[in-house]
Amino acid sequence: MLLEVKDLNVYYGAIHALQGISFDVKEGEIVSLIGANGAGKSTTLRALSGLIRPRSGSISFKGENITLAPAEKIVKMGMSHVPEGRKIFAPLTVRENLEMGAYIINDRSEINRMTERVFRSFPRLKERINQLGGTLSGGEQQMLATGRGLMNKPTLILLDEPSMGLSPIMVEEIFRIIKEINAEGTSILLVEQNAQMALSISHRAYVLETGRITLAGSAKEIANNPQVKEAYLGI
Amino acid sequence: MQTISQKQKSIHIVTPNSFLAWIGKFLLILIALFALFVLAKNLIAKPTLFAQNVLDGLKLGFVYALIALGYTMVYGIVKLINFAHGDVFMVGAFVSFFAVEFLGLHVWPIAVFPDINPLLANVLGTITIILLSMVICVLLAITIERVAYKPLRDAPRIAALITAIGVSFFLEYFGLLEFVFSARFIPYKRPFEEMTWYIKDGIHQVEAGVTTPPGSITFSNIFVVIVIATVLAQLFLQYLVRRTKIGIAMRATSFDKPTARLMGINVDQVISFTFGIGAAFAALGGVLFAIAYPSIKTLMGVYPGLKAFVAAVLGGIGSIPGAFVGALIMGQAEILTSAYVSTPMRDAIAFSILIIVLLIRPTGIFGEPEKEKA
Ligand SMILES: Nc1ncnc2c1ncn2[C@@H]1O[C@H](COP(=O)(O)OP(=O)(O)OP(=O)(O)O)[C@@H](O)[C@H]1O
Ligand SMILES: [Mg+2]
């Protein structure tokens, strides 16, 4: 098991945002986490990557308990988190943003190789290499955020709404790239508003409702579940 | 209804009374014109004396620049005005004093290599003194950050600010103790001898006991050292921040700490590093200041610290080139005021500049309006 979460509880002050959730991601999988606004999807990812400390429960990654590990250590272990809302470093150029993505890598040639890899997926970034991150369009920022998350060669990448704000064509494109990344051996935990798209490329999925997992199964099962159809797929 | 009246109220508060604002601007323009008039008059009447004053202003401004860099870098990364910075500068001067006076550390090159070129020996000796001061000040600043500021990183900014003032007072009053630095003025022994030249029909060395001819401009090796050291420091910093991984990480951390952590950046280390760099520059400034004005005391850091802070605000706090430019302006303002208005005015002018900047352009020369980030 690559990632195993057991009975995780997270609070923001008095707000009980995650109420004992358990799930897992196996090597090579794409797993989706779907749920309404405020369900706790982003909170889950923040707990995994060490940005917030869970009150109880456990997270194990590659067999090691990382429940209370600092974010820097978790990145070094091979988990990369592309946060919600892109979070590009606005005063840094595209190149510098990518270099920060590769912060934990010291080998220069390795960084150059990863940069080329990212440019293959997002040729637009290459054209804008010396532009400031803050001056990119929303869609370009999303590409940069995803590309930056790939720079440290993660074994598991957490993607929080990678299609947000993208045009329909770019949405197709980003999902194609996600599948490509997965085919190259990176496992993916995907949070999406666009449940239909997410389920179409996932192996498995979990449904999160106000801090609890209410449904789990293969992507097909979830997509065919009547309640899911009604609530998330708009069918 | 209620929301409308609230809105009107807040608009009323933030809009300055236009008549008063107009008078204020008019007065400022008058002052500026008057200052220009005084400067122009003196420039025309005695151009060499004026040039001499500008040169002296540069000397002071360059030292302020070294201190201002620390204020601006620390503010850039933790949004804190580190009021203890001026006292770190003072410690830098005292460390070099002890190293020269009691350890005689500046003469080691001659002791070790008796045949060494005297200039090289001086350079090596002085660099050694500066490095020692830097090391001590870096350790001091990092300790201050860890002990006093880090626990307050998520507290409201005002808490850290008041703590910074507290740390500053602690260092000052601890230093004032008789068995520490005491409250006395202490004559400072330079690690190298001063040499002076005058410019008039070429450059000539000033001989001891001989007055320089009228209408000449004098400068010393100390001035040269200050200019070279400050320019090198500024270039080093630009290189660090623009080209190196840790420098880019500093800028990333300054912009967004949680996302910086997601990159694997150890934010605590980056913050310590920033305090360290600022303290190293303050130490360099402290040693050079003591060499230039060779009498030191425990409270020597207070005014230069505050003035360098004004320089950083004037240049745009958070901006590295801004700190440099602001400091040069401050140096000129101070020396020219003391030469052409009155000597006691030199401190007043610094804080007048602060007030004027805060009124007219709070973001300073190079500053951009701060965007509130979540
Ligand atoms: N910093 C915070 N302080 C207090 N409450 C928070 C904080 N962040 C999130 N919450 C609350 O925790 C709950 C879960 O938020 P979360 O951001 O994880 O939702 P989400 O599933 O990602 O929603 P969305 O689809 O809108 O992004 C929400 O009720 C939210 O209001
Ligand atoms: Mg979210």
Side-chain angles (χ1 to χ4, degrees):
Chain A
M1 201 70 72
L2 184 60
L3 177 76
E4 197 162 13
V5 176
K6 280 201 191 123
D7 198 24
L8 199 65
N9 282 281
V10 171
Y11 288 76
Y12 292 107
I15 299 170
H16 195 173
L18 295 183
Q19 309 175 6
I21 66 168
S22 303
F23 66 95
D24 53 63
V25 179
K26 300 184 183 70
E27 278 95 358
E29 271 190 323
I30 303 182
V31 174
S32 288
L33 207 54
I34 59 177
N37 291 125
K41 307 180 297 290
S42 300
T43 302
T44 307
L45 299 196
R46 283 200 284 267
L48 293 178
S49 60
L51 284 187
I52 42 177
R53 294 184 149 233
R55 186 166 302 177
S56 66
S58 75
I59 305 168
S60 92
F61 180 54
K62 293 183 175 171
E64 193 171 325
N65 183 342
I66 57 158
T67 316
L68 298 176
E72 309 83 80
K73 190 192 160 201
I74 295 173
V75 179
K76 288 207 182 92
M77 287 179 64
M79 190 193 298
S80 185
H81 178 178
V82 179
E84 182 175 22
R86 304 162 188 143
K87 299 293 166 78
I88 290 306
F89 296 117
L92 270 57
T93 63
V94 167
R95 181 196 296 279
E96 288 169 338
N97 268 281
L98 292 177
E99 301 230 326
M100 287 297 99
Y103 188 78
I104 57 169
I105 300 178
N106 288 320
D107 180 358
R108 192 70 242 177
S109 62
E110 194 64 36
I111 296 177
N112 292 340
R113 221 174 51 74
M114 288 315 293
T115 311
E116 284 311 314
R117 168 71 193 83
V118 167
F119 287 159
R120 233 186 306 130
S121 289
F122 304 104
R124 185 81 75 91
L125 294 180
K126 189 168 188 172
E127 298 163 20
R128 313 216 163 259
I129 183 141
N130 290 319
Q131 194 171 325
L132 292 185
T135 63
L136 295 178
S137 78
E140 288 164 350
Q141 289 192 6
Q142 189 63 63
M143 298 177 209
L144 179 55
T146 310
R148 187 180 65 181
L150 288 171
M151 286 295 292
N152 55 23
K153 299 200 295 175
T155 3
L156 172 67
I157 185 162
L158 317 177
L159 298 171
D160 200 338
E161 306 199 13
S163 74
M164 190 166 63
L166 296 184
S167 68
I169 295 174
M170 264 319 294
V171 172
E172 294 273 349
E173 182 66 12
I174 202 107
F175 277 99
R176 191 186 62 71
I177 291 165
I178 293 171
K179 265 165 78 176
E180 195 178 285
I181 295 165
N182 177 249
E184 286 171 21
T186 304
S187 307
I188 293 167
L189 180 59
L190 179 62
V191 163
E192 259 300 336
Q193 293 288 342
N194 193 335
Q196 195 160 6
M197 268 295 208
L199 290 174
S200 76
I201 64 163
S202 297
H203 301 105
R204 289 188 301 121
Y206 294 87
V207 176
L208 198 58
E209 273 174 46
T210 55
R212 288 200 176 86
I213 285 178
T214 53
L215 215 56
S218 75
K220 251 206 193 92
E221 283 163 19
I222 301 280
N224 289 325
N225 181 293
Q227 285 143 300
V228 172
K229 273 186 175 168
E230 195 184 323
Y232 304 107
L233 301 177
I235 303 172
Chain B
M1 268 311 280
Q2 209 189 342
T3 53
I4 289 173
S5 71
Q6 268 176 359
K7 217 175 193 175
Q8 278 172 341
K9 207 169 162 191
S10 68
I11 286 172
H12 183 74
I13 290 168
V14 296
T15 311
N17 185 312
S18 60
F19 180 65
L20 277 184
W22 188 82
I23 295 221
K25 270 185 198 146
F26 183 71
L27 281 178
L28 280 179
I29 291 170
L30 269 189
I31 294 172
L33 286 177
F34 179 70
L36 278 181
F37 169 74
V38 170
L39 291 181
K41 195 183 91 184
N42 285 291
L43 176 58
I44 293 163
K46 287 186 179 160
T48 48
L49 181 60
F50 191 87
Q52 180 71 60
N53 284 322
V54 169
L55 222 57
D56 291 347
L58 270 181
K59 181 160 97 175
L60 190 61
F62 273 94
V63 177
Y64 286 166
L66 288 172
I67 315 173
L69 288 172
Y71 275 109
T72 221
M73 288 172 63
V74 163
Y75 183 86
I77 208 146
V78 284
K79 302 288 176 277
L80 167 75
I81 307 289
N82 178 18
F83 278 112
H85 193 58
D87 304 301
V88 172
F89 161 89
M90 169 272 287
V91 171
F94 269 90
V95 170
S96 71
F97 167 77
F98 289 124
V100 171
E101 188 81 26
F102 298 129
L103 302 180
L105 201 60
H106 59 300
V107 296
W108 76 262
I110 293 181
V112 178
F113 311 105
D115 304 329
I116 195 170
N117 170 315
L119 177 66
L120 183 62
N122 269 337
V123 170
L124 285 180
T126 307
I127 288 178
T128 309
I129 301 288
I130 289 173
L131 287 179
L132 178 70
S133 286
M134 283 180 164
V135 169
I136 305 282
C137 287
V138 166
L139 293 178
L140 174 67
I142 289 178
T143 310
I144 292 172
E145 196 275 324
R146 282 285 143 121
V147 173
Y149 303 151
K150 188 174 171 224
L152 294 171
R153 204 167 291 152
D154 298 319
R157 272 200 227 169
I158 189 78
L161 191 72
I162 292 169
T163 305
I165 295 172
V167 171
S168 169
F169 281 167
F170 171 79
L171 291 175
E172 285 163 18
Y173 287 87
F174 183 74
L176 282 173
L177 292 174
E178 197 50 40
F179 58 87
V180 186
F181 302 151
S182 88
R184 285 183 298 274
F185 273 101
I186 301 166
Y188 182 88
K189 188 172 149 199
R190 296 186 176 114
F192 58 88
E193 296 301 320
E194 182 176 23
M195 273 189 282
T196 317
W197 293 269
Y198 68 89
I199 308 176
K200 183 162 193 187
D201 315 322
I203 298 176
H204 319 272
Q205 186 159 358
V206 178
E207 309 291 340
V210 181
T211 49
T212 55
S216 60
I217 301 169
T218 64
F219 68 97
S220 70
N221 53 351
I222 296 170
F223 176 78
V224 175
V225 167
I226 288 177
V227 172
I228 291 175
T230 309
V231 169
L232 284 182
Q234 181 79 19
L235 290 178
F236 166 78
L237 200 57
Q238 282 300 335
Y239 173 78
L240 180 86
V241 167
R242 295 284 144 204
R243 293 270 176 269
T244 65
K245 196 162 167 175
I246 179 82
I248 302 173
M250 282 163 76
R251 286 189 285 137
T253 304
S254 142
F255 183 73
D256 181 347
K257 289 185 189 55
T259 306
R261 297 185 63 206
L262 289 183
M263 304 295 110
I265 296 170
N266 186 329
V267 165
D268 289 336
Q269 269 174 19
V270 170
I271 292 174
S272 288
F273 182 79
T274 309
F275 272 85
I277 295 277
F281 286 157
L284 175 61
V287 179
L288 295 178
F289 191 81
I291 290 174
Y293 311 99
S295 161
I296 62 174
K297 62 169 178 165
T298 304
L299 297 183
M300 67 181 280
V302 176
Y303 274 106
L306 286 173
K307 287 167 183 169
F309 161 64
V310 176
V313 173
L314 171 61
I317 190 125
S319 156
I320 290 172
F324 191 65
V325 171
L328 293 188
I329 296 176
M330 289 295 293
Q332 292 306 330
E334 203 177 318
I335 296 296
L336 294 179
T337 303
S338 94
Y340 298 125
V341 185
S342 80
T343 311
M345 269 292 283
R346 64 186 293 171
D347 295 337
I349 189 74
F351 303 109
S352 311
I353 288 177
L354 178 64
I355 293 168
I356 292 170
V357 172
L358 291 180
L359 281 176
I360 297 183
R361 193 179 155 85
T363 54
I365 300 170
F366 287 80
E368 283 157 30
E370 190 178 325
K371 283 174 256 119
E372 277 303 323
K373 302 186 299 265

